[in-house]
Amino acid sequence: MHLSVAHESSKVNLDFLVKELGLRQERNTTIFLKGNFFVISPSVQNQYNWFDISEPIMEYYNPKVHDGYLLVRFKEEYLMAKLLPFQQKMMIKETMPNTTKLRPHWKFKVMEATKSYILNMGDRDLRYPIQMPTENQLKKFFNK
């Protein structure tokens, strides 16, 4: 039961990205494109508030060409950060989990607080403040 609820809320957020923001999903990835917008949009629908971003996904991002954003679909909300500064601070090789089962990736946790932030699970001293735009703010931003 819990999984289907999570899957459904994830799908609602996905519909919003595609239908309301006009973003186009790249195959079945967390990458969404529109003009020069490059959006990585993982969905956080688990009890631990974890999400990960794989190194191969980041290889598609070119900050010289793209206006990049991290747009986390968190429960019924959206959390947003500029991708380049997030990548520079939070995606350090040394903070990748040591696993041979999964492709290289970074693991993050959304920390809910008065000012929510993202925590790097490989180095808990690495924290990144996150904006919480409304759906209307997102529509204005991506449809300008």
Side-chain angles (χ1 to χ4, degrees):
M1 173 81 183
H2 181 70
L3 285 176
S4 65
V5 171
H7 178 73
E8 286 307 307
S9 61
S10 170
K11 204 170 156 241
V12 167
N13 291 349
L14 187 63
D15 283 351
F16 176 76
L17 296 184
V18 173
K19 293 180 177 151
E20 303 291 327
L21 303 184
L23 298 169
R24 186 184 84 250
Q25 186 176 19
E26 274 298 292
R27 297 182 301 280
N28 195 20
T29 68
T30 56
I31 299 172
F32 293 81
L33 303 171
K34 179 180 185 177
N36 68 334
F37 283 124
F38 180 95
V39 178
I40 292 181
S41 187
S43 182
V44 177
Q45 305 296 338
N46 58 64
Q47 65 191 27
Y48 306 108
N49 296 349
W50 289 344
F51 69 96
D52 66 354
I53 299 175
S54 73
E55 192 174 49
I57 288 289
M58 287 307 295
E59 288 170 0
Y60 286 96
Y61 172 55
N62 179 347
K64 291 183 176 83
V65 176
H66 301 124
D67 188 11
Y69 293 89
L70 173 65
L71 183 60
V72 180
R73 293 171 280 149
F74 181 62
K75 299 176 181 173
E76 300 302 316
E77 301 172 308
Y78 297 91
L79 309 176
M80 188 166 156
K82 292 228 16 114
L83 190 54
L84 185 59
F86 181 85
Q87 177 186 27
Q88 290 169 334
K89 180 176 180 182
M90 301 294 285
M91 297 179 153
I92 303 162
K93 277 272 193 221
E94 300 78 55
T95 63
M96 289 180 160
N98 287 329
T99 176
T100 53
K101 292 186 183 120
L102 300 169
R103 60 186 181 243
H105 68 286
W106 293 271
K107 192 170 200 75
F108 302 102
K109 181 174 184 171
V110 175
M111 303 300 291
E112 294 179 272
T114 308
K115 295 242 180 238
S116 295
Y117 60 93
I118 293 176
L119 183 71
N120 182 313
M121 297 298 287
D123 178 348
R124 291 171 183 264
D125 288 333
L126 285 180
R127 298 164 181 228
Y128 199 89
I130 193 90
Q131 294 178 346
M132 297 178 73
T134 64
E135 288 189 1
N136 279 339
Q137 287 171 322
L138 287 169
K139 285 180 196 176
K140 282 184 187 145
F141 184 79
F142 285 104
N143 292 313
K144 55 185 171 196

